[in-house]
Amino acid sequence: MQSQMIKKYKKVVVKIGSNSIVDSKTKKIKSKWLDYLCKDIAELNKTKKIVIVCSGAIALGAKSISNTKLRKLEDKQAAASVGQIELAHQWRNKLGKYKIGVSQILLTLEDSEERRRYLNARNTISSLQSKNIIPIINENDTVATEEIRYGDNDRLAARVAQMIEADLLILLSDIDGLYQGNPKKDKDIKKISEVFKIDKKIEKLGNYQSSELGSGGIATKILAAKICAGNGCATIITNSDKNKPISNIDKKNSTIFYPLTSTNSSKKKWLLNHLKPSGSIIIDTGAKNAILKNKSLLPAGVIDIKGRFKRGDVISILVKNGQKIAIGISAYDFNDAKKIIGKKSEEIYKVLGFEGRDEVVHKDNLVRLSA
Ligand code: GLU
């Protein structure tokens, strides 16, 4: 029997946290639990398109690298490369019993933040889905360095949900959902079962809880839900600690974040949820007003350039006091952008020696942030 709460959704990303799939004492796969989960997934797979984002590689491989807690990045990377094989093996065996094929996809931050790679990954997933193969995704921890890591699979899962235009993200975790405080410290604290808008008050609740084996806590889950909400995708946080953790989802054991309705194009949604802009452009009041009226950013309104970005990179647009008002794709690299600061568009040729675009950021490549 499917959970009533998830019946209507058609494209679902299921994210499984390290604590859910790896036993915190033995550091081994929770095999029985995974059997139940696969039963659920096989059932869902009959009527929905499913993508799985699964953590646990580092936790599973940790023992082979050290007997104590892993601290150095290279140890975690090494552990991930050991644990990832085990993860893939488990999924293949267990979903294989239902004659469901699986594939492994390892992504780095750049794969979702660089538009060409993002579209490429999207096509691969879509090709697998057309063959009824379930992609099992994890971060490519072995090559991801500190600067280019998601670090947590919650946001990775949200970007994957956006990539495939999912309508539901399920975050299976070691907590029932979002609480009004810290449930480990205060037994009477209430769980919130529905969130319609992720405002500052909701975001603040992220400070309270964290989990033991994985890197995310409730804060990264709220962030993930926020990314999804802006993309028309609902998010459910629920405790994995029940047999058949998906078919047993109900209001009592979960929190659902509803999506917002948005009129942004898919490119603008992608921009809006970009996790790591490569630099920033500081603008004057005239340019700010133009952007607020949905116009392009011209060099005349630029007052400073920060960071070493390339042409085509995503950059933040800030006003003088540091407030970020928009995000966009730069038509110039940082060197050329610096040279044309404050210039009129007609002067670009003279300054740069080639005919560039009139705009530093064209309005089609720019999205305003709400205050
Ligand atoms: N990618 C990490 C792993 O597989 C998990 C990251 C997280 O905890 O969300 O171990």
Side-chain angles (χ1 to χ4, degrees), residues 1-14 40-41 43-45 47-50 167-172 234-238 244-251 253-256 258:
M1 259 270 284
Q2 268 190 26
S3 150
Q4 286 303 321
M5 263 176 77
I6 64 169
K7 227 174 175 173
K8 68 172 189 188
Y9 298 104
K10 294 275 171 271
K11 273 193 191 174
V12 183
V13 175
V14 180
D40 260 356
I41 288 173
E43 191 57 38
L44 291 182
N45 193 49
T47 53
K48 305 178 196 303
K49 288 216 183 311
I50 309 289
D167 49 7
L168 177 65
L169 166 65
I170 301 175
L171 299 172
L172 290 179
T235 301
I236 293 178
I237 302 178
T238 190
K244 303 187 94 196
I246 299 181
S247 42
N248 284 330
I249 293 176
D250 60 29
K251 274 201 171 154
N253 60 28
S254 67
T255 298
I256 181 161
Y258 293 108

Side-chain angles (χ1 to χ4, degrees), residues 15 18 54-59 87 138-139 141 151-154 214-216:
K15 184 259 171 180
S18 301
C54 185
S55 305
I58 298 177
L87 267 187
N138 195 358
E139 178 160 17
D141 295 303
D152 64 87
N153 275 0
D154 297 323
S215 359

Side-chain angles (χ1 to χ4, degrees), residues 76-297:
K76 289 185 186 162
Q77 291 178 310
S81 72
V82 176
Q84 187 60 39
I85 303 183
E86 169 72 5
L87 267 187
H89 173 78
Q90 293 285 346
W91 280 110
R92 195 169 68 173
N93 277 353
K94 292 192 190 286
L95 281 176
K97 287 187 189 141
Y98 299 92
K99 306 225 169 339
I100 297 175
V102 297
S103 82
Q104 172 180 275
I105 302 183
L106 300 177
L107 296 175
T108 58
L109 187 67
E110 285 167 326
D111 295 317
S112 69
E113 306 312 282
E114 209 184 280
R115 184 120 182 111
R116 192 178 49 82
R117 286 164 71 164
Y118 171 88
L119 295 175
N120 197 22
R122 186 170 80 171
N123 290 344
T124 307
I125 295 174
S126 143
S127 158
L128 288 163
Q129 287 186 317
S130 71
K131 305 278 179 299
N132 203 18
I133 293 170
I134 298 186
I136 315 282
I137 300 179
N138 195 358
E139 178 160 17
N140 195 351
D141 295 303
T142 301
V143 298
T145 58
E146 219 60 271
E147 319 77 73
I148 54 151
R149 289 189 92 203
Y150 294 95
D152 64 87
N153 275 0
D154 297 323
R155 286 176 309 157
L156 167 64
R159 287 299 252 170
V160 168
Q162 180 182 11
M163 221 179 243
I164 64 159
E165 289 171 351
D167 49 7
L168 177 65
L169 166 65
I170 301 175
L171 299 172
L172 290 179
S173 178
D174 57 354
I175 33 176
D176 272 349
L178 179 65
Y179 284 81
Q180 278 161 345
N182 188 345
K184 283 188 184 140
K185 289 209 178 119
D186 181 353
K187 293 241 151 28
D188 296 326
I189 208 88
K190 285 213 167 59
K191 183 179 69 61
I192 302 168
S193 47
E194 292 176 305
V195 176
F196 293 92
K197 186 166 186 262
I198 303 174
D199 53 18
K200 291 250 153 40
K201 236 162 86 193
I202 294 288
E203 279 172 9
K204 252 194 170 162
L205 297 175
N207 301 336
Y208 295 119
Q209 306 155 40
S210 69
S211 57
E212 204 184 310
L213 282 178
S215 359
I218 199 79
T220 55
K221 291 180 180 51
I222 295 172
L223 262 171
K226 200 172 172 184
I227 294 175
C228 286
N231 292 308
C233 173
T235 301
I236 293 178
I237 302 178
T238 190
N239 203 323
S240 58
D241 192 19
K242 46 186 176 303
N243 285 340
K244 303 187 94 196
I246 299 181
S247 42
N248 284 330
I249 293 176
D250 60 29
K251 274 201 171 154
K252 282 197 214 112
N253 60 28
S254 67
T255 298
I256 181 161
F257 299 78
Y258 293 108
L260 304 167
T261 43
S262 156
T263 51
N264 278 333
S265 67
S266 74
K267 187 181 194 182
K268 289 203 172 180
K269 282 181 189 158
W270 171 81
L271 262 175
L272 202 51
N273 294 305
H274 200 274
L275 298 172
K276 271 219 164 134
S278 315
S280 40
I281 298 182
I282 327 293
I283 59 168
D284 65 13
T285 318
K288 177 186 169 184
N289 292 337
I291 286 177
L292 295 180
K293 286 187 199 136
N294 295 325
K295 296 204 170 128
S296 299
L297 172 63

Side-chain angles (χ1 to χ4, degrees), residues 200 277 279-285 287-289 291-292 297 301 303-304 306 315-328 367-371:
K200 291 250 153 40
S280 40
I281 298 182
I282 327 293
I283 59 168
D284 65 13
T285 318
K288 177 186 169 184
N289 292 337
I291 286 177
L292 295 180
L297 172 63
I303 50 182
D304 202 3
K306 298 237 158 73
I315 44 87
S316 304
I317 300 175
L318 316 175
V319 287
K320 252 201 256 168
N321 68 6
Q323 190 201 354
K324 180 164 161 178
I325 65 149
I327 186 155
V367 53
R368 250 170 39 206
L369 305 175
S370 47

